[in-house]
Amino acid sequence: MSFKLRLSLLSIAIFQTFSAQAAIPANPNIETITVTGDRFDTAQEQQLAVVNTIEREEIDRLSPKSVTDLLETLPGVSVTRNGGAGQSASISMRGTNSSHVLVLVDGVRVGSATLGAVSFNALSPENIERIEVVKGPRAAIWGSDAIGGVIQIFTRKLEGGEWFASAEYGSDEYMRATAGAGISHGNGHTSISLNHEQSDGYNVKNDAEDDDDGYDRFGLSINGEQTLNQFWSLNWNGQLETGHYEYDNSRANEADYDNYLWSLGAKFENDKLTSKLALAQSQDKNENFRSDVEDYPVTLYKTTRDQINWSNKYLATSNLTFIGGIDWTKESIVGDYAVDERDIAAVYGLARYQYGQLLLEGIVRYDDVENIDSETSYSASAAYQFNDEWRLALSTGTGFQAPSFNDLYWPGTGNPDLVSETSENYDITLHYSGDNLRGYVSLYHNTIDNLIQWAPTPELDENGYEIWKPANIQSAEISVVELSLNYSTWGIEHQFGYSYVDAIDKADEQQLDGRSEHELDYAMSYSWDQLDLLLNYHYQGERKASNDFLDPYHQVDLSIGYKIADAWQVRLKANNLLDEEIISDRNYFSPGRQLFLSVSYQAF
């Protein structure tokens, strides 16, 4: 059976099931949720991309040990781990590569320009207030890296007089202490949050190095704002993540990291115009070494990004909105590279028009990447609101991923002739929002060309080993069916997510490495008096790993919280309750069953 036929049959089956379950009257009192998929706070029904959100209340209940624990609960987001919470992990969104996901923390682009990846293991979940995941053809608003989507992380915000503190202990000698407070100053406030955690870990890899791989990390986040008058306000953000982790590798087995970001912004707002200017800098620094070899050389990877963003929103009429701005980034790296810095300048514009039940949107963006060809990205979208419950959205757009410094200039093997990876994608999404049920089903197709692949060459190094070099030689075709449902019955909240991913290498029609065709998530939560309960189930289908396939697995997590007083709560969390062997990357094991107990106090 061809993929197109399988996709059609599966889509029809999902649509019929979805429609049958959705025959529930609409709730006129549904809370209006705003998201920032277009860089400004906008009602979710005005967004033409699929946006998933994770709020602080959900984070508390999930009691995650890593940011990837949170992201994995979302449909269309797949995680590959090299071990537990302190180890490296990568994100694939809707079947794209890990480098095809743009990550922003408080609006600041983060990640390594040398590796083209983000250190998710360095981020502290306890310092996060909210996560927004923007999917689909949205690269035209954000620029490079947003081929698969955008992950926006917002740190915790507290009003003056609000504060919290918590402590946790669990398996593998895990310990955590977290605290935060809000400070008022006139017509403004500043939040400060601190988190420290450590664990002895476990042996993450099946190899000759049989030892526990532990980690420790410290996180500090500061954010605040000050209203100057009815039109002007200032805002500031800062974050520091520093830590140490052990891992299994033949060359190095320990690493220290020191990552930070800061931003200063000003906002002008009146009835028609909102204008924001932000100056920011981020650093990704990682030092790798071997602890069991005296005088082993330290390998340093360090990226610094200076950023200026000017964005504007103009309400021309009640039905017509314009958004536009300028982005400038300077990337600098440390190392023996032929080129160690580059500038990226971009200008973009968006127009959105409401005509009765029809919503139209167009976006164009131009990026000039130094030493690489410029790229023009576009997005065109339309949505039709059939009634209070049903809405259909269609989108098409292009995106690109600029080569990393390693791809271009790695000493002896980089290829300075590389061009950007490019994509063309289509998305059709049916939304439903009723009284006890809301959700969507989305069909998505993405074609990616000029993918960069490292491959061996006829050349040999001084030791007689093959020299590997990168080239734009791969293309991929990815088709996705994504389903999300949230519904309530008898006081029990249910969340269901499913994704079917068909990711094919166009050269040999083989499945791309690291992707699962089927991935499913289900969460059941219930609150009664002072007690709350959350049961999470995750199914990961088999994945291709080189010439082999990794077995599918099931993971069940349980979280039980109890309020012993108005502000005090204790929580018991069990991860991998069934103690199943979980391998998401070849030879790397996730931990077995783990138990954690936490105590928290919140003065809100």
Side-chain angles (χ1 to χ4, degrees):
M1 184 183 297
S2 69
F3 167 73
K4 290 184 179 179
L5 179 57
R6 284 184 287 151
L7 181 59
S8 300
L9 293 175
L10 181 60
S11 305
I12 292 170
I14 291 175
F15 181 81
Q16 290 176 340
T17 302
F18 188 60
S19 301
Q21 294 183 24
I24 300 173
N27 180 4
N29 300 316
I30 290 177
E31 178 187 3
T32 298
I33 299 174
T34 60
V35 293
T36 57
D38 58 10
R39 298 191 177 212
F40 289 86
D41 291 335
T42 305
Q44 198 159 28
E45 61 268 18
Q46 292 292 306
Q47 295 285 338
L48 288 126
V50 174
V51 183
N52 300 137
T53 61
I54 304 174
E55 306 291 343
R56 182 65 232 177
E57 183 179 356
E58 298 174 71
I59 297 172
D60 285 335
R61 289 190 177 189
L62 286 165
S63 188
K65 300 299 169 282
S66 68
V67 173
T68 52
D69 290 346
L70 295 170
L71 296 172
E72 194 171 37
T73 65
L74 301 176
V77 179
S78 187
V79 176
T80 300
R81 295 181 175 87
N82 289 344
Q87 308 298 316
S88 61
S90 60
I91 295 291
S92 173
M93 191 179 299
R94 291 188 164 184
T96 60
N97 291 341
S98 59
S99 59
H100 294 159
V101 179
L102 172 62
V103 180
L104 306 168
V105 177
D106 288 331
V108 181
R109 180 185 288 255
V110 298
S112 170
T114 54
L115 299 174
V118 174
S119 301
F120 287 102
N121 59 315
L123 298 171
S124 301
E126 291 299 318
N127 286 346
I128 295 174
E129 179 70 28
R130 171 183 174 89
I131 296 178
E132 293 180 9
V133 177
V134 185
K135 302 174 182 175
R138 208 62 178 174
I141 199 75
W142 300 102
S144 179
D145 305 349
I147 288 177
V150 181
I151 297 172
Q152 298 193 80
I153 297 173
F154 301 94
T155 54
R156 295 182 82 154
K157 293 184 178 180
L158 303 168
E159 299 292 335
E162 295 181 343
W163 66 279
F164 69 92
S166 65
E168 187 173 11
Y169 179 80
S171 299
D172 301 321
E173 298 299 318
Y174 174 86
M175 291 180 284
R176 175 182 62 81
T178 306
I183 304 169
S184 295
H185 36 77
N187 292 326
H189 59 86
T190 296
S191 303
I192 302 174
S193 300
L194 299 147
N195 178 73
H196 180 265
E197 55 192 295
Q198 63 186 53
S199 173
D200 289 349
Y202 66 99
N203 187 29
V204 301
K205 190 176 182 183
N206 181 21
D207 62 5
E209 193 169 345
D210 186 10
D211 64 341
D212 290 339
D213 300 299
Y215 69 93
D216 66 82
R217 60 188 175 202
F218 170 79
L220 165 66
S221 66
I222 300 173
N223 61 63
E225 58 184 39
Q226 182 71 43
T227 300
L228 302 179
N229 53 45
Q230 62 177 328
F231 301 117
W232 287 93
S233 63
L234 302 176
N235 59 81
W236 51 88
N237 296 283
Q239 180 165 306
L240 171 67
E241 299 283 355
T242 181
H244 171 88
Y245 62 95
E246 301 165 349
Y247 59 98
D248 288 343
N249 189 286
S250 59
R251 296 183 179 179
N253 61 10
E254 293 193 28
D256 295 329
Y257 61 86
D258 294 284
N259 302 339
Y260 72 79
L261 66 86
W262 62 261
S263 68
L264 298 173
K267 183 171 76 170
F268 171 85
E269 185 172 15
N270 61 22
D271 293 339
K272 290 285 189 179
L273 175 67
T274 302
S275 183
K276 300 187 295 186
L277 177 65
L279 310 178
Q281 185 182 81
S282 66
Q283 175 187 279
D284 186 284
K285 178 184 176 183
N286 201 288
E287 293 179 298
N288 295 263
F289 55 92
R290 195 164 183 90
S291 61
D292 55 355
V293 178
E294 188 175 354
D295 298 327
Y296 191 85
V298 173
T299 303
L300 173 65
Y301 302 95
K302 182 179 177 181
T303 297
T304 303
R305 283 191 176 93
D306 298 310
Q307 304 169 55
I308 300 176
N309 308 109
W310 181 42
S311 51
N312 305 273
K313 180 178 181 179
Y314 180 70
L315 303 177
T317 69
S318 60
N319 295 325
L320 179 62
T321 301
F322 294 103
I323 293 175
I326 296 172
D327 293 333
W328 176 84
T329 303
K330 185 181 191 65
E331 297 179 337
S332 306
I333 64 171
V334 173
D336 186 21
Y337 292 80
V339 176
D340 58 10
E341 64 179 34
R342 68 184 178 193
D343 291 345
I344 304 171
V347 59
Y348 64 93
L350 175 152
R352 182 185 297 133
Y353 182 68
Q354 181 83 49
Y355 180 74
Q357 302 296 99
L358 181 65
L359 181 64
L360 302 172
E361 182 183 87
I363 312 171
V364 177
R365 179 184 174 102
Y366 174 81
D367 284 86
D368 181 32
V369 185
E370 188 176 4
N371 299 322
I372 303 174
D373 290 341
S374 60
E375 296 290 340
T376 300
S377 309
Y378 76 86
S379 175
S381 307
Y384 188 80
Q385 190 80 37
F386 294 100
N387 50 43
D388 289 341
E389 296 90 8
W390 292 96
R391 179 174 182 255
L392 182 67
L394 300 93
S395 298
T396 182
T398 61
F400 77 100
Q401 157 80 43
S404 70
F405 278 86
N406 282 2
D407 293 330
L408 293 165
Y409 310 118
W410 183 260
T413 59
N415 182 357
D417 296 324
L418 292 173
V419 299
S420 295
E421 302 174 346
T422 58
S423 69
E424 183 174 10
N425 43 58
Y426 303 89
D427 184 301
I428 177 170
T429 304
L430 180 67
H431 300 266
Y432 179 84
S433 181
D435 189 8
N436 296 318
L437 174 69
R438 66 185 186 278
Y440 66 86
V441 58
S442 184
L443 308 182
Y444 176 85
H445 183 82
N446 199 348
T447 301
I448 308 175
D449 293 317
N450 295 321
L451 280 167
I452 297 170
Q453 183 174 352
W454 286 71
T457 67
E459 303 175 57
L460 302 178
D461 64 16
E462 58 185 11
N463 297 314
Y465 293 106
E466 293 178 324
I467 294 178
W468 288 56
K469 291 187 176 182
N472 295 106
I473 59 175
Q474 192 179 22
S475 297
E477 193 166 285
I478 303 170
S479 298
V480 177
V481 178
E482 182 177 304
L483 173 66
S484 176
L485 292 174
N486 293 265
Y487 58 99
S488 59
T489 55
W490 301 298
I492 302 174
E493 299 292 329
H494 305 267
Q495 295 182 19
F496 176 83
Y498 168 76
S499 59
Y500 173 82
V501 177
D502 189 69
I504 299 298
D505 185 334
K506 292 172 67 175
D508 57 13
E509 297 297 318
Q510 295 297 309
Q511 182 178 335
L512 293 177
D513 280 4
R515 279 73 164 178
S516 297
E517 280 194 344
H518 304 282
E519 196 163 342
L520 183 147
D521 289 280
Y522 169 72
M524 180 187 70
S525 60
Y526 179 74
S527 297
W528 178 73
D529 199 13
Q530 305 300 312
L531 181 73
D532 70 76
L533 180 147
L534 174 64
L535 180 70
N536 279 87
Y537 168 76
H538 176 73
Y539 170 76
Q540 186 79 50
E542 70 173 14
R543 320 183 186 212
K544 185 182 177 187
S546 297
N547 296 320
D548 198 4
F549 283 88
L550 301 176
D551 291 335
Y553 63 81
H554 309 262
Q555 180 171 340
V556 178
D557 300 336
L558 177 65
S559 177
I560 302 173
Y562 184 78
K563 283 189 175 182
I564 54 179
D566 288 343
W568 288 92
Q569 185 179 63
V570 294
R571 181 168 300 279
L572 178 66
K573 176 68 184 296
N575 288 338
N576 193 8
L577 192 62
L578 304 181
D579 198 25
E580 182 160 347
E581 183 178 85
I582 296 174
I583 303 175
S584 65
D585 196 3
R586 189 172 50 184
N587 297 325
Y588 286 95
F589 296 90
S590 292
R593 184 187 298 113
Q594 294 181 308
L595 296 174
F596 303 93
L597 180 65
S598 64
V599 180
S600 62
Y601 180 88
Q602 298 187 30
F604 291 168

